[in-house]
Amino acid sequence: MPVQSLFYEEVVSVSKQQHSNLSVKIGTDYTFASKINAVPIIANEVSQSVQEYPVVFVENDGSVMLNAILGLEKEQNLYVTAEGKWQGKYIPAFIRRYPFIFALNENEKTFTLCIDEKFSGCNQEGRGERLFDAEGEETQFLKNVLNFLKIYQAQFQRTQQIAQKIKDLNLLESAQIRMNTEQNEPLFLSGFSTVNREKLQQLSGEQLAELMQLGLLELIYLHLQSMNNFSDLVELRKQVLDH
């Protein structure tokens, strides 16, 4: 299951010395995400994500994070077409921020804006948006990117805390999805957790009140409801294979 770097290949710090003439064209080609079957999502995009994706919990390197499931097999994203178009209604912020990312400095207190220079949209021909103007100053586009990533990073850390709270209440259990292929062979998707309904019902009134006050109770019910989206993924997989 995913980690925070995923499809990033050649990440370097953004600088006017190195990227004075660099332009970036985004939002047209999502081929870079075609081989990921899940992606982290932040808490404030859960309500949009659950309308089409199963939303689950994934543990990685000791932390817990919400993830949207995008495919039923390894290296399979059912929402990216052969032409690189995203066919889902909602594109997770983790995808939208690419090719940019924050890297934690050695002091682990400050972040540096980085870019994946392997991204197909990076160019010197002026396609898309420039990062720096003729005077070497940050363009409005780059300022918007910085602001987006600052908000995203804060929300990412908050979501980890939220997911950890749910784990600390002992509500999570390992889950597995089983389906049959066209050849009637079993196919399994595992490596994620879901909230156990019985354990949720056994929480004390005080614990439930705390979850409600923190806005987590609604998130939990949205997560549980999103499990129904696995059937849509199965159907989408059939459509993709038929083509």
Side-chain angles (χ1 to χ4, degrees):
M1 299 301 281
V3 295
Q4 205 181 351
S5 56
L6 280 180
F7 34 68
Y8 290 83
E9 296 182 52
E10 195 169 303
V11 176
V12 299
S13 301
V14 172
S15 68
K16 59 183 177 183
Q17 289 79 18
Q18 190 169 347
H19 303 113
S20 58
N21 295 316
L22 186 70
S23 294
V24 180
K25 186 173 179 59
I26 59 175
T28 56
D29 186 0
Y30 295 94
T31 304
F32 63 87
S34 62
K35 293 187 180 299
I36 58 167
N37 68 350
V39 66
I41 61 170
I42 50 181
N44 64 354
E45 60 180 340
V46 168
S47 60
Q48 292 169 290
S49 300
V50 298
Q51 294 181 34
E52 53 189 326
Y53 311 119
V55 171
V56 300
F57 294 83
V58 173
E59 293 190 51
N60 194 286
D61 294 331
S63 64
V64 191
M65 191 64 191
L66 289 167
N67 274 242
I69 302 295
L70 306 174
L72 295 169
E73 299 174 69
K74 187 178 180 181
E75 296 189 351
Q76 177 193 68
N77 186 344
L78 295 169
Y79 292 91
V80 177
T81 68
E83 297 75 32
K85 303 299 181 184
W86 193 277
Q87 60 180 340
K89 296 176 184 177
Y90 179 74
I91 304 176
F94 191 102
I95 304 290
R96 286 185 279 119
R97 72 171 180 169
Y98 187 77
F100 300 97
I101 190 173
F102 270 152
L104 195 60
N105 291 343
E106 291 182 4
N107 60 17
E108 297 191 353
K109 292 183 179 180
T110 57
F111 291 94
T112 298
L113 179 65
C114 297
I115 186 170
D116 185 357
E117 291 185 330
K118 287 290 187 179
F119 174 49
S120 61
C122 291
N123 66 93
Q124 303 281 344
E125 293 79 45
R127 290 181 285 110
E129 302 284 349
R130 286 189 59 166
L131 304 187
F132 298 93
D133 60 25
E135 286 73 42
E137 300 298 322
E138 295 179 357
T139 61
Q140 188 59 50
F141 170 76
L142 185 55
K143 291 177 181 177
N144 291 342
V145 167
L146 273 166
N147 186 55
F148 177 81
L149 261 69
K150 286 177 182 176
I151 295 172
Y152 178 86
Q153 192 63 37
Q155 287 292 328
F156 190 93
Q157 293 172 336
R158 174 177 173 269
T159 304
Q160 284 183 314
Q161 294 169 355
I162 285 173
Q164 186 64 47
K165 175 67 176 178
I166 293 172
K167 179 186 176 182
D168 289 344
L169 287 171
N170 197 32
L171 294 177
L172 298 181
E173 64 177 357
S174 297
Q176 184 181 75
I177 296 298
R178 183 189 186 280
M179 55 172 278
N180 290 328
T181 65
E182 287 65 29
Q183 292 74 35
N184 207 33
E185 297 176 351
L187 186 65
F188 299 94
L189 179 67
S190 58
F192 63 92
S193 299
T194 59
V195 169
N196 182 299
R197 290 179 181 269
E198 291 184 4
K199 291 182 178 179
L200 180 62
Q201 293 169 352
Q202 292 169 4
L203 291 181
S204 67
E206 184 178 339
Q207 289 172 319
L208 286 171
E210 182 184 10
L211 286 178
M212 186 176 295
Q213 289 170 358
L214 294 173
L216 304 191
L217 202 54
E218 180 183 9
L219 183 148
I220 288 172
Y221 283 124
L222 286 172
H223 145 69
L224 290 170
Q225 182 182 353
S226 77
M227 293 300 97
N228 296 324
N229 293 334
F230 272 110
S231 59
D232 294 333
L233 271 183
V234 172
E235 183 59 35
L236 183 57
R237 179 181 178 275
K238 291 179 181 178
Q239 293 175 14
V240 170
L241 291 177
D242 287 343
H243 287 295

